[in-house]
Amino acid sequence: MAQAAFVPEPAPQHGEPSFDVLRWHDEPWTAQLALELLPETNGPKVEVLSGSVIVTPHAGIDHQSVERELPYLLHRAARRAGLWVYPEINLVSGKDLFIPDIAVLRTSGGGRSAVDIRQAVLLGEIVSPGNRRKDVIDRPREYAAAGVPFFLRVDLRNRVPAMALYELIDGEYRPLAAAAAGSTFVMKQPFEFSVDPADLLDEEAPIEDDDESLVEGGDESPVEGSDDTN
C-alpha cells in the first residue's frame, strides 16, 4: 500500500490572538507583532527583545509580595507629583517589548494596552534568583539606552530586601539612593518617597514536608526556535 505524501501544515490565517502563532511564525518578532498576534495574559510575561519572544514564568512569592506592596505605595506618592505608577505594563521601545515590574509614567495609561517607553520617568525591577543577570545588568542597560531617567532595583537576596535608585547621567545609571531592610529608603527624585524595605515582604511561610519538591523562582527562557538573547 502506497504511503501518503507528507503535506506540511499550512500557516494559520491571522484571526483571534493565540499562542499557537509561536509554532509557525518564523520571522523576527517585533513589539507590534506580539501585541497584535499574541493574546493578553495574566500568566507568564511575554516580551520581545532583538527579534525573539522571551517568556518568563511567574517568580517566587516574595517577588509577588513586593510587586503587590511597592507599586501601591509608590503610586500614592507619585500622584502628588502628577505621575502614575503601574505594575507589569507593556512598554514599547522601538521593535522591543518590555514588561518591567514597576513603571512610573508621565501620563495615565488608562484605556491603553501598551505605552511608549518615552512616557516612562522611572522603571523598576525586582531581582529574581533565576533572572539576576537580566534584572541587574541587561534590563538597566536597555532602559538607559532608551533614555529612561531613573531606574529602581529591589533585591531580595536571603530575604533581606534592599532598594537602590539610579539616575541616568551621560548615558549610564549612577547611584542616587540606597537602603536595606531595617533602615529607611528615601528618594527625592522623580518624586518624594520613603519606605523601610523590610515592610515589603510577608512573613516567612511555615516549612512543609513537600517544599523541596516545589520549583522556586522564575527562569527566563525564549520560546522554541528563538535565540536566547539574554
Side-chain angles (χ1 to χ4, degrees):
M1 181 175 180
Q3 185 175 6
F6 171 75
V7 179
E9 180 182 354
Q13 298 299 311
H14 293 184
E16 290 295 320
S18 170
F19 283 114
D20 288 342
V21 72
L22 295 173
R23 296 167 48 204
W24 57 264
H25 184 85
D26 56 4
E27 298 297 323
W29 282 87
T30 66
Q32 191 61 39
L33 276 175
L35 291 170
E36 289 178 356
L37 301 182
L38 299 178
E40 295 182 1
T41 174
N42 290 324
K45 288 185 181 181
V46 179
E47 301 175 293
V48 176
L49 180 61
S50 301
S52 294
V53 172
I54 308 297
V55 179
T56 310
H58 277 308
I61 295 178
D62 280 346
H63 182 288
Q64 305 303 327
S65 297
V66 175
E67 199 166 55
R68 179 195 67 217
E69 296 295 324
L70 186 54
Y72 171 73
L73 296 173
L74 284 169
H75 185 68
R76 295 177 65 187
R79 290 301 300 127
R80 292 192 286 269
L83 301 172
W84 301 76
V85 179
Y86 298 96
E88 293 195 358
I89 62 169
N90 296 316
L91 279 183
V92 177
S93 178
K95 294 183 177 181
D96 293 336
L97 175 65
F98 298 127
I99 304 180
D101 292 324
I102 299 167
V104 179
L105 305 182
R106 293 181 173 88
T107 59
S108 168
R112 303 179 188 177
S113 61
V115 176
D116 192 290
I117 199 169
R118 288 173 294 186
Q119 289 297 319
V121 177
L122 177 152
L123 296 178
E125 297 290 350
I126 304 164
V127 181
S128 297
N131 291 339
R132 190 164 191 86
R133 176 182 170 83
K134 183 204 79 169
D135 295 332
V136 174
I137 299 175
D138 296 336
R139 206 44 58 91
R141 181 176 57 203
E142 290 146 5
Y143 296 159
V148 179
F150 296 92
F151 175 71
L152 178 67
R153 184 169 69 230
V154 183
D155 199 321
L156 305 179
R157 186 180 293 188
N158 299 322
R159 301 199 83 242
V160 181
M163 298 176 60
L165 177 69
Y166 300 83
E167 183 178 12
L168 187 64
I169 299 176
D170 296 331
E172 295 183 354
Y173 285 123
R174 308 288 176 84
L176 194 61
S183 59
T184 302
F185 171 80
V186 179
M187 71 182 199
K188 301 295 184 181
Q189 301 180 67
F191 54 91
E192 294 188 359
F193 174 75
S194 63
V195 68
D196 182 343
D199 294 338
L200 302 176
L201 282 188
D202 294 342
E203 296 179 1
E204 188 168 8
I207 298 175
E208 298 179 1
D209 293 339
D210 60 351
D211 277 357
E212 293 183 358
S213 66
L214 301 178
V215 177
E216 297 182 356
D219 288 337
E220 176 182 88
S221 59
V223 299
E224 184 178 353
S226 64
D227 294 328
D228 187 353
T229 55
N230 283 334

